[in-house]
Amino acid sequence: MAEPSKQEIDARAYQLWEQAGRPEGREDEFWHLAEQELRNEDKGSPTRTPDTL
């Protein structure tokens, strides 16, 4: 899987921030969480097996 783009991370971070009630001063936390989430997104794919990792 390709690295997520800044735009994809920004969009996901915004979703997470909204879901958390839009807390002030935690933008970096949500951005890093979104980045990590998107990078690990395909690990749960049913088509992946230990042989294809």
Side-chain angles (χ1 to χ4, degrees):
M1 179 178 167
E3 289 290 310
S5 70
K6 183 182 182 314
Q7 186 175 12
E8 290 171 322
I9 297 169
D10 285 343
R12 181 61 183 147
Y14 186 80
Q15 289 175 338
L16 293 170
W17 176 75
E18 281 194 319
Q19 289 172 3
R22 299 179 177 189
E24 292 185 31
R26 294 176 56 196
E27 294 84 5
D28 288 344
E29 178 185 338
F30 286 102
W31 200 91
H32 290 293
L33 180 62
E35 181 181 30
Q36 182 179 25
E37 200 177 272
L38 290 170
R39 285 185 175 171
N40 295 325
E41 187 174 64
D42 69 327
K43 287 187 178 178
S45 172
T47 59
R48 289 185 61 137
T49 65
D51 294 335
T52 61
L53 294 176

